[in-house]
Amino acid sequence: MATIRELARRAEVSVATVSRVFNNPDLVTRRTREHVLRVADELGYQPNESARTLATGRSRMVGLVWDTGHRGPGWRHPFLQEILIGLKTALSDHGHHLLMLAAEPGAGGYARAAKRHDLDGIVFIDAGAPDPALADLAASGLPCVALDRPVTGPRATYVTSDNVGGARAAVAHLHARGRRRIATIAGPRRTWPGADRLAGYRLELSALGLPYREELVAEGDFYLDSGHAAMRRLLAPDERPDAVFAAGDQMAIGALRALAEAGLRVPEDVALVGFDDIELAALVPPGLTTVAQDKTAFGTAAARALIAMLPPSPATPHPPAILPTRLVIRGTT
Amino acid sequence: MATIRELARRAEVSVATVSRVFNNPDLVTRRTREHVLRVADELGYQPNESARTLATGRSRMVGLVWDTGHRGPGWRHPFLQEILIGLKTALSDHGHHLLMLAAEPGAGGYARAAKRHDLDGIVFIDAGAPDPALADLAASGLPCVALDRPVTGPRATYVTSDNVGGARAAVAHLHARGRRRIATIAGPRRTWPGADRLAGYRLELSALGLPYREELVAEGDFYLDSGHAAMRRLLAPDERPDAVFAAGDQMAIGALRALAEAGLRVPEDVALVGFDDIELAALVPPGLTTVAQDKTAFGTAAARALIAMLPPSPATPHPPAILPTRLVIRGTT
DNA sequence: CCATATTCTGTAACCGCTTTCATGAAACCG
DNA sequence: CGGTTTCATGAAAGCGGTTACAGAATATGG
């Protein structure tokens, strides 16, 4: 591999000049600059990133913390792929790479990895049990963006959907369809989306003048089976609900099965709204009405926020991005 | 951040000794080693990876080339997530990180990124148009693993499913169900899975003594809509097929819709087998019979192969991993 | 035309770690 | 017990860049 010294020798300039050609082009005469670039091209010169990072302390890499282990090998984010596409695209445009951290999860594993690699920033995509290590990291001043979980720090912020608003829209929609006994299958309350969607449900109920009833709330874990179980629980009491708002599409689809097993028709007997708009939602008959999230926007918004907080920007937390949701009406309502 | 010099000073040893403690522990007395480790712990010392990479030429990072752009923002690998989980897990265990390359696609973009970062190896997950840059990279001696596409080089190999065998099993199964006019919705022939599944289809037909008929072959692009269109084409002739082998589940589901639209019953009028066993397959009624691939095995096999080819292993291409497939019988047959 | 300000370029220190080579200490041995 | 080996450690030279500082070249102005 051609080094900067070799290139300098061949171009008959100093290494400093070569370095400037690449990093501060306008500090160099057009003539020399073009000459150096030409020779660089001939040599196939590529500046070495490690050397650069070592010298500058900035790696042009962003860490991605993605907790695969949380639910064993089966754990899947509903739209990790779209998020990655959004993230990668936006970061690439800014000349940053994405490093998937292979650190021991929990504790300070990610923090250590961030230091070792001189990461410029870090993005958290995970289920979101509150983690003191995340708080420390964010407090340390490293630019941090978390998805669907809160985080604060001099250069920290988060991206999330308008979970409250989306949930309210779902409930309002069911109400508009004439339903009055509206149940919910909530997500885990320790997660943000779980808590906020439940809050939205309550809020809209009271806005509509409907009572909030404990027996109309079942909690799941966002996965299909839990939706199935929750639906069965909701059907147990004498007076069954005539509508259900499930806080996630997977749970909604589980609920759909439970309803079919119980011999109930959807939407005639029970109307159903989900949340997320995963690919499946459109395909599972009769088509799941759901609150759609803007999936790639998650990634791009995260990338944008992160980039905005990168030095030399002042250490000001970027305002959180709350992405709008959109109600997609299909066959279940 | 504590540096190695600081640590050396505090532990009252030389930097060389500290370095050895971390890289060649047995070159150091147990006494000194433990002492250094203790002080390192107190200081929260973390060796800097860039400096390490610069000094050794090895980055402990593996590049991941994942072509997001191929089909516009909507392009999705049927099970990218599982592959990533497998890859990440296996590589982590070996102390390697995964770098998602933000390089201009095509040409030598990835090759350049690999050099700049001193990548230890590289993994290709993409749609797989033949790419001279990949060939060059592989030829250069950089450990390379490609998924579902061929690649050769001193340290190159690939991982793929037993596409031929899987396709044969699908066709044999349809035959066993009494079907004789078996059509196929093939994938793009320029892709490996597309070509091999078609080959398997032909092979099994002839093994069964059935004729291969051009009019029973329609080509799609692995996506849902193309399956729909292909199915309509297959239904056009007077004598319609009584079974269809679709080379991908998405296409199979598209075909399922076309069949429903045509008023045909599945499996009574037309039996259907897919390939992949995506999540949807189990959920779309009446349940799609399909050839399942071992999804996380893709990732782990790729990681294992890569690790096996990493220096100081001899520059011998690892034998390709051909993962077994498994026929999952559901409602469509 | 000279003094001064402004560009442009070069020298060299440094970023944090690895590793070769040399050295001194300890172990081995006839 | 002196001479070899072996073993543990240290000094210092890189690895390939960036950048502060200084010097040379050019432009500016009186």
Side-chain angles (χ1 to χ4, degrees):
Chain A
M1 264 285 280
T3 75
I4 198 177
R5 267 173 253 276
E6 169 123 351
L7 172 50
R9 197 170 54 69
R10 301 272 205 120
E12 296 179 295
V13 297
S14 73
V15 293
T17 300
V18 174
S19 179
R20 282 188 282 254
V21 164
F22 288 99
N23 302 301
N24 294 78
D26 25 276
L27 291 186
V28 169
T29 328
R30 210 169 71 112
R31 238 182 79 76
T32 16
R33 188 192 328 142
E34 284 171 356
H35 175 232
V36 169
L37 285 174
R38 198 168 322 112
V39 179
D41 211 51
E42 284 166 17
L43 258 58
Y45 169 74
Q46 297 290 329
N48 181 291
E49 293 291 340
S50 303
R52 242 188 219 227
T53 300
L54 182 57
T56 60
R58 317 195 47 209
S59 63
R60 300 160 186 242
M61 291 195 296
V62 169
L64 178 70
V65 173
W66 163 51
D67 184 6
T68 57
H70 174 65
R71 290 259 318 179
W75 156 243
R76 308 178 101 254
H77 186 99
F79 30 84
L80 176 76
Q81 190 157 172
E82 283 88 349
I83 295 176
L84 287 183
I85 291 176
L87 259 180
K88 191 190 124 148
T89 308
L91 287 176
S92 301
D93 290 350
H94 200 253
H96 279 259
H97 292 259
L98 205 49
L99 185 65
M100 293 187 52
L101 295 182
E104 332 88 89
Y110 302 126
R112 282 195 290 279
K115 295 211 155 182
R116 294 168 80 117
H117 289 278
D118 293 313
L119 294 184
D120 288 352
I122 198 162
V123 175
F124 285 80
I125 310 183
D126 57 2
D131 184 345
L134 202 182
D136 286 355
L137 245 194
S140 78
L142 183 74
C144 283
V145 174
L147 268 53
D148 277 334
R149 57 160 33 183
V151 60
T152 58
R155 294 173 188 269
T157 192
Y158 56 84
V159 174
T160 188
S161 277
D162 179 10
N163 288 306
V164 174
R168 294 190 64 163
V171 173
H173 170 65
L174 289 169
H175 183 265
R177 285 282 200 260
R179 311 299 167 133
R180 291 299 177 267
R181 218 177 137 68
I182 304 173
T184 189
I185 300 177
R189 297 178 199 216
R190 64 181 167 71
T191 69
W192 240 24
D196 278 6
R197 291 172 197 176
L198 181 58
Y201 163 82
R202 290 189 72 153
L203 225 56
E204 188 62 22
L205 280 189
S206 85
L208 293 169
L210 294 175
Y212 172 78
R213 294 217 174 82
E214 286 290 351
E215 73 269 24
L216 289 183
V217 178
E219 185 169 323
D221 64 3
F222 282 128
Y223 290 88
L224 197 138
D225 291 343
S226 76
H228 185 269
M231 191 69 239
R232 292 180 57 149
R233 256 176 281 139
L234 290 174
L235 290 176
D238 314 325
E239 206 185 344
R240 62 165 170 76
D242 58 8
V244 176
F245 162 55
D249 282 352
Q250 304 227 31
M251 294 196 298
I253 290 167
L256 212 47
R257 297 200 137 185
L259 287 167
E261 288 166 15
L264 292 168
R265 291 163 309 160
V266 175
E268 292 82 356
D269 299 323
V270 179
L272 183 63
V273 179
F275 207 113
D276 286 347
D277 195 27
I278 61 177
E279 206 182 3
L280 226 59
L283 296 169
V284 68
L288 178 66
T289 293
T290 191
V291 180
Q293 308 196 54
D294 189 344
K295 306 180 192 76
T296 50
F298 253 84
T300 51
R304 245 202 312 277
L306 195 69
I307 288 168
M309 297 187 299
L310 253 30
S313 305
T316 323
H318 191 81
I322 313 288
L323 305 173
T325 57
R326 190 171 45 87
L327 187 70
V328 177
I329 298 170
R330 299 205 181 89
T332 56
T333 58
Chain B
M1 264 282 281
T3 75
I4 199 175
R5 259 175 263 277
E6 170 123 352
L7 172 51
R9 199 170 52 69
R10 301 271 205 119
E12 298 180 297
V13 297
S14 73
V15 293
T17 299
V18 174
S19 177
R20 281 189 281 254
V21 165
F22 288 99
N23 301 301
N24 293 80
D26 25 276
L27 291 187
V28 169
T29 326
R30 211 169 72 112
R31 237 182 78 77
T32 16
R33 188 191 328 142
E34 283 170 356
H35 174 234
V36 169
L37 286 175
R38 197 169 322 112
V39 179
D41 210 50
E42 284 166 16
L43 260 57
Y45 169 73
Q46 296 291 329
N48 180 292
E49 292 292 340
S50 304
R52 236 181 215 217
T53 300
L54 183 56
T56 60
R58 317 196 48 210
S59 64
R60 302 161 185 241
M61 291 195 295
V62 170
L64 178 70
V65 173
W66 163 50
D67 183 7
T68 57
H70 174 65
R71 289 259 321 179
W75 156 244
R76 308 179 99 253
H77 186 99
F79 30 84
L80 177 76
Q81 190 158 171
E82 283 88 349
I83 294 177
L84 287 183
I85 291 177
L87 258 180
K88 190 190 124 142
T89 307
L91 287 176
S92 300
D93 290 349
H94 200 254
H96 278 260
H97 293 259
L98 206 48
L99 184 65
M100 293 186 52
L101 264 6
E104 332 89 89
Y110 303 126
R112 281 196 290 279
K115 294 211 156 181
R116 293 168 81 116
H117 290 277
D118 293 311
L119 294 184
D120 288 352
I122 198 161
V123 175
F124 284 81
I125 311 183
D126 58 2
D131 185 345
L134 203 181
D136 286 355
L137 246 194
S140 78
L142 182 75
C144 283
V145 174
L147 268 53
D148 276 335
R149 57 159 33 183
V151 58
T152 57
R155 292 173 189 269
T157 192
Y158 55 85
V159 175
T160 188
S161 278
D162 179 10
N163 289 304
V164 173
R168 295 191 64 163
V171 173
H173 170 64
L174 290 169
H175 183 265
R177 286 283 199 258
R179 310 298 165 133
R180 292 298 177 268
R181 217 175 137 69
I182 304 174
T184 189
I185 300 177
R189 299 178 199 216
R190 66 182 165 72
T191 69
W192 241 24
D196 277 6
R197 291 172 197 176
L198 181 57
Y201 163 81
R202 290 189 71 154
L203 225 56
E204 189 62 22
L205 280 189
S206 84
L208 293 168
L210 294 175
Y212 171 77
R213 293 215 175 83
E214 286 290 351
E215 72 270 22
L216 290 182
V217 178
E219 186 170 321
D221 63 5
F222 283 129
Y223 291 88
L224 197 138
D225 291 343
S226 77
H228 185 269
M231 192 69 239
R232 291 180 58 148
R233 256 176 281 137
L234 290 174
L235 290 176
D238 314 325
E239 207 185 344
R240 60 164 172 75
D242 56 9
V244 176
F245 162 56
D249 281 353
Q250 304 227 32
M251 295 197 298
I253 290 167
L256 212 47
R257 295 200 140 183
L259 288 167
E261 287 165 15
L264 293 168
R265 291 164 309 161
V266 175
E268 293 81 356
D269 299 324
V270 179
L272 183 63
V273 179
F275 206 115
D276 286 345
D277 195 27
I278 60 178
E279 207 182 3
L280 224 61
L283 296 169
V284 68
L288 178 65
T289 294
T290 191
V291 180
Q293 307 196 55
D294 188 344
K295 304 181 193 71
T296 50
F298 253 84
T300 48
R304 246 203 311 277
L306 195 68
I307 290 168
M309 295 187 299
L310 254 31
S313 305
T316 322
H318 192 81
I322 312 287
L323 305 173
T325 56
R326 191 170 45 86
L327 186 70
V328 178
I329 298 171
R330 299 204 181 91
T332 56
T333 57

